[in-house]
Amino acid sequence: MHALMRLPAEVTIYTASELHPAWVSALPAMQARASAAMSSTVGVDASAVDEVDGAGVQLLLALANELHALGLTLQLSPVSGPLREACAAMGAATLLACMADEGAVA
């Protein structure tokens, strides 16, 4: 799977107001690339995330929901340790498919 997008180092309440509109505007391109690859999965590289909070996880859930409405699935891979821990702490690892490649379950 090739990542169509890369998450920044900081996915927090302080960056949410910039990230959300950028992600929403990228949805058509994500849908087109997934369609061209004949895939229903949108790969997002989450390896650089070193700071994430509850708002950041909520933002990722919103992206997952927006992709789901388009018939697509968000796949974070690879996932940084801080993001993995935040998803697990908030009970969102399964919802975000954060751990699919690592085999962990939260």
Side-chain angles (χ1 to χ4, degrees), residues 34-104:
S35 179
M38 297 188 331
S39 174
S40 63
T41 302
V42 173
V44 175
D45 181 341
S47 63
V49 177
D50 63 13
E51 187 175 353
V52 61
D53 62 9
V57 173
Q58 288 176 333
L59 188 61
L60 289 170
L61 288 169
L63 176 60
N65 285 333
E66 290 165 358
L67 288 169
H68 180 73
L70 297 173
L72 301 170
T73 302
L74 174 65
Q75 176 63 57
L76 301 175
S77 180
V79 181
S80 70
L83 181 55
R84 185 180 301 113
E85 291 169 12
C87 288
M90 294 189 66
T94 302
L95 291 172
L96 288 174
C98 269
M99 310 297 183
D101 287 350
E102 288 80 10

Side-chain angles (χ1 to χ4, degrees), residues 10-36:
E10 183 179 349
V11 183
T12 67
I13 194 167
Y14 301 108
T15 60
S17 64
E18 298 168 10
L19 293 174
H20 187 261
W23 292 354
V24 168
S25 67
L27 285 173
M30 289 182 202
Q31 186 176 25
R33 287 182 185 165
S35 179

